[in-house]
Amino acid sequence: MEFITTHDELRTVYKTPRPDDGSIRKELKKLDGHSKAFIARSPFVLIGSSDGTGNADVTPKGDKAGFAAVLDDNTIAIPDRPGNNRLDTLENILVNPAVGLLFLIPGMNETLRVNGEAQITVDAGLRERLAVDGKPPISVVVVTVKAAYMHCAKAFMRSDLWKPEAWLDRKTLPTLGQILHDQLSLEETPAETDRWLDDAYAKSMW
């Protein structure tokens, strides 16, 4: 198998967009009204980051719609709720602040892409602003926006992501307890692990 290794080779396969092409012109240097409204209605964002040696990571963040707060035209605050404490994204940000965000709204095939630079804060006022039921996030990822643009619907249309009739029956797939049992050779049964996970979810969502 041969691989493409240069920019020129890549552009022999894909055409180079003109400066006046919509895919180029749509990129904004700050958040406009539509971008802000999208973020305010989004309950889910994917954060792409990488460390100082090129190892990449994508992590999901989700909460009630509008959980990511737009602080101004160039700043987004994303709360970090209790998790597994791996801190892959946060540790990446410490050595390489560049991040890519993908905001989704369920049922909407178009997405909002944001590229920027991130920092981590435990500012008391901001954490309190982003609290849920009186529980502030552990920290907040503050992203300075460098580029923002709407992404077309093709990937979601091809995948039928939002069409329930295209979804697999969840019962045909293994539970997380079963997967962890098999991957880690756990002594606990899959059912016991599933009960432990359900209890952890119930007690540590926020």
Side-chain angles (χ1 to χ4, degrees):
M1 184 182 299
E2 296 182 355
F3 295 96
I4 294 172
T5 59
T6 69
H7 178 272
D8 288 342
E9 288 177 332
L10 185 63
R11 284 303 176 183
T12 63
V13 179
Y14 296 90
K15 69 177 183 179
T16 301
R18 301 185 308 272
D20 62 348
D21 190 289
S23 64
I24 301 298
R25 293 179 56 241
K26 70 180 180 179
E27 182 176 315
L28 307 175
K29 300 304 180 185
K30 62 181 181 179
L31 302 174
D32 69 341
H34 291 295
S35 300
K36 294 176 182 178
F38 196 103
I39 294 171
R41 291 165 173 79
S42 172
F44 191 84
V45 64
L46 295 164
I47 305 177
S49 63
S50 63
D51 64 17
T53 58
N55 296 304
D57 179 74
V58 177
T59 188
K61 298 293 181 185
D63 214 318
K64 302 296 187 291
F67 74 100
V70 174
L71 303 185
D72 57 46
D73 289 351
N74 285 97
T75 314
I76 303 170
I78 303 172
D80 190 63
R81 310 291 182 193
N84 57 23
N85 288 330
R86 281 181 56 106
L87 307 185
D88 297 302
T89 298
L90 300 185
E91 291 190 348
N92 284 349
I93 289 171
L94 293 177
V95 295
N96 180 6
V99 295
L101 311 178
L102 184 66
F103 286 96
L104 286 73
I105 296 177
M108 184 169 181
N109 287 328
E110 295 78 16
T111 56
L112 175 67
R113 293 177 60 170
V114 177
N115 298 327
E117 293 188 348
Q119 296 176 286
I120 305 163
T121 183
V122 290
D123 177 82
L126 185 56
R127 289 173 61 231
E128 184 61 31
R129 173 177 171 178
L130 299 174
V132 173
D133 295 334
K135 298 178 181 179
I138 300 172
S139 67
V140 180
V141 174
V142 178
V143 178
T144 300
V145 176
K146 302 297 183 183
Y149 54 95
M150 295 298 299
H151 194 88
C152 77
K154 289 181 179 178
F156 285 77
M157 294 172 68
R158 293 180 184 126
S159 66
D160 287 337
L161 188 67
W162 303 127
K163 293 184 178 180
E165 62 271 23
W167 297 349
L168 288 173
D169 182 350
R170 181 63 182 87
K171 294 179 181 178
T172 66
L173 301 172
T175 66
L176 180 55
Q178 181 68 62
I179 294 170
L180 293 176
H181 177 271
D182 295 343
Q183 291 178 339
L184 304 179
S185 299
L186 299 178
E187 293 183 2
E188 295 83 3
T189 67
E192 289 171 335
T193 302
D194 282 323
R195 285 194 292 272
W196 179 88
L197 289 167
D198 288 341
D199 186 60
Y201 290 150
K203 294 179 179 178
S204 62
M205 193 66 72
W206 289 280

